[in-house]
Amino acid sequence: MAATARLQLLHTPSIIRPSVLFSRPCFSSGLHCSRLRKISTSPVLCSNSDQTPQAASSAGASSKSIVGDLLDYLNESWTHFHATAEAKRQLIAAGFHLLNENDEWDLKPGGRYFFTRNMSCLVAFAVGEKYDVGNGFHIIAAHTDSPCLKLKPKSASAKSNYLMVNVQTYGGGLWHTWFDRDLSVAGRVIVRDSDGSYLHKLVKVKRPLLRVPTLAIHLDRTVNKDGFKPNLETHLIPLLATKPEETSVDSNDKKAVSKAVHHPLLIQVLSDELGCSASDIMNIELNLCDTQPSCLGGGNNEFIFSGRLDNLASSYCALRALVDSCGSPSDLSTEHAVRMVALFDNEEVGSDSYQGAGAPTMFQAIRRVVDSLSHKYIGESAFDRAIRKSFLVSADMAHGVHPNFMDKHEDHHRPEMQKGLVIKHNANQRYATSGVTAFLFKEVGKAHNLPTQEFVVRNDMGCGSTIGPILASGVGIRTVDCGIAQLSMHSVREVCGKEDIDIAYRHFKAFYQSFSSIDSKLTVDY
């Protein structure tokens, strides 16, 4: 964002309370979670207050489960903007100091800091009290974005007396899953203030506002035989409302409506939500979002049903692990390294953006930390030496074996839910894992009785990728790619195992607390 625009990033979301989350409908019948808890013996669990004893996994069952807190985070984080803003709120509440990339940093050993970029990318770090110039960084990186539908710059259209909203596809989504869902909009809005400045505000319309209807089978008799193959330009256009009668509208108003970039009705909905005048809304950047809340499901409530698990589940586990690994003054007293989390935007479309992993955001932050803590140190290549000693965990979701499509997995690498983090391998470097980095990360798990699994794609199938290779090749940092096993990846509604969330959190926390001692035992290049 240009500095001349004087955009003020003022949004800090309020503290999430279970009562707010429970007010959201869990079923189309209109029943709410709070009501279900009173009338049902098998409630849909939507927040931490509903946790059951089996939430803890067999590995470290005495640890407190973070599953309820993850559900709260997911329900708050309808967009990458909201996910970053909620992470910001939690870091401030935990005592982290907000930095500005435009300012000079004055960092101290034992300090905890973070900054945001574009309110969709965040880097947080805690400096060990024993830090010395050239020491390494222990980093977990994930991403805040998910495949979704986004409003086009000119979204207003009308067909057959319906008001329609033009959208564009973002990422590689399973777009057929977006049909017949109760959708709404969320994102950010640029609002003109009374003094002529411009405010950056986040907005979320919680009620169902939009729908992409499927065609009745009577008009498409072969759909079950030939498959549902919608045209993404002409068939994936949501309904907003029925077109109002225009008989009482004067000619000037008709012309204004016909030239509107976005439907005045949509702008009015946003202005009502924000409490501002419609004329003060200068620009919008909105995603379509499924209004059904994230919750627990399955016969034993062992699954998490939610949108955006890829990759907010990894993002939250990493964030929470950092916060909890330095929550008390003594946690950093013997630490020689810097513990860091980096949450990037735009992974789903290649990471090549100002706020994506393709930008030097994380490495610039590392250099600035090194420079700030160097003081009057005069020596050779402190930053380069720090990178050589550093280690990066690239945390994205993983492909769990699908019971109905087991042949899509290589016979000996079929990750299962509830069995721990999945370490991803690819000989062609679609993942950045090496024999050394896989060994070190598994050793962290072994030391804390945490299971791991391994994944390799079939030779006759293409392999996806993530931010691991981008960051590993950026400056040459040791990297392991890992993730939580899930099904329905890139669907509007995904599923993962509840126990895997707690295992991932504990593994990430153990990485921060014990990697230095494990890494010191291995010699490779000297």
Side-chain angles (χ1 to χ4, degrees), residues 188-203:
R188 69 171 164 197
V189 179
I190 306 301
V191 178
R192 180 175 54 205
D193 202 8
S194 56
D195 63 359
S197 63
Y198 299 101
L199 308 179
H200 169 283
K201 292 190 174 184
L202 301 191
V203 66

Side-chain angles (χ1 to χ4, degrees), residues 192-470:
R192 180 175 54 205
D193 202 8
S194 56
D195 63 359
S197 63
Y198 299 101
L199 308 179
H200 169 283
K201 292 190 174 184
L202 301 191
V203 66
K204 181 194 302 180
V205 180
K206 298 178 182 179
R207 67 179 177 89
L209 190 66
L210 301 165
R211 194 174 182 90
V212 185
T214 49
L215 184 64
I217 194 169
H218 314 82
L219 305 178
D220 188 9
R221 292 288 188 181
T222 64
V223 64
N224 289 327
K225 178 170 65 74
D226 298 337
F228 181 45
K229 302 173 183 178
N231 182 294
L232 300 184
E233 178 63 25
T234 59
H235 298 158
L236 197 60
I237 307 176
L239 305 178
L240 173 64
T242 51
K243 194 173 182 180
E245 295 292 337
E246 297 182 348
T247 53
S248 60
V249 180
D250 65 38
S251 59
N252 289 333
D253 287 341
K254 285 183 181 180
K255 291 179 181 179
V257 171
S258 66
K259 293 181 180 180
V261 173
H262 304 287
H263 287 302
L265 174 60
L266 176 60
I267 297 299
Q268 187 60 53
V269 169
L270 296 175
S271 69
D272 292 343
E273 194 73 25
L274 292 167
C276 68
S277 170
S279 61
D280 287 330
I281 293 180
M282 310 308 295
N283 199 16
I284 63 176
E285 187 175 351
L286 301 179
N287 296 357
L288 266 63
C289 307
D290 186 11
T291 59
Q292 185 175 358
S294 305
C295 62
L296 295 185
N300 297 307
N301 289 315
E302 66 263 59
F303 300 128
I304 296 175
F305 297 153
S306 175
R308 307 173 303 282
L309 288 174
D310 179 14
N311 189 33
L312 292 186
S314 302
S315 295
Y316 184 74
C317 289
L319 180 76
R320 182 65 177 269
L322 176 65
V323 169
D324 290 354
S325 73
C326 55
S328 65
S330 62
D331 287 338
L332 296 172
S333 61
T334 60
E335 179 61 80
H336 293 260
V338 178
R339 301 171 183 176
M340 178 177 281
V341 159
L343 307 180
F344 297 102
D345 192 5
N346 298 136
E347 187 275 344
E348 299 293 356
V349 292
S351 298
D352 291 333
S353 69
Y354 167 71
Q355 56 274 351
T361 310
M362 186 181 82
F363 298 119
Q364 288 175 346
I366 293 175
R367 185 181 294 277
R368 294 188 68 174
V369 172
V370 171
D371 290 347
S372 179
L373 295 171
S374 294
H375 300 296
K376 296 182 180 180
Y377 170 84
I378 299 175
E380 184 266 337
S381 302
F383 170 75
D384 294 331
R385 290 190 289 114
I387 292 296
R388 296 292 84 76
K389 296 177 183 177
S390 297
F391 193 93
L392 171 70
V393 177
S394 169
D396 207 342
M397 301 300 278
H399 298 288
V401 62
H402 195 304
N404 298 333
F405 299 91
M406 292 179 62
D407 60 326
K408 295 295 184 181
H409 275 71
E410 198 273 339
D411 288 347
H412 304 289
H413 298 85
R414 291 176 170 172
E416 300 178 25
M417 288 189 188
Q418 323 290 16
K419 297 293 181 65
L421 281 171
V422 180
I423 298 176
K424 306 175 186 178
H425 302 261
N426 184 261
N428 297 302
Q429 294 303 296
R430 300 293 289 170
Y431 301 125
T433 305
S434 70
V436 170
T437 60
F439 166 76
L440 289 171
F441 194 65
K442 285 189 287 186
E443 284 298 298
V444 171
K446 285 181 181 178
H448 293 80
N449 195 30
L450 296 167
T452 56
Q453 307 178 78
E454 293 179 293
F455 172 77
V456 176
V457 74
R458 290 172 56 106
N459 290 330
D460 55 0
M461 295 179 64
C463 182
S465 189
T466 184
I467 60 177
I470 296 172

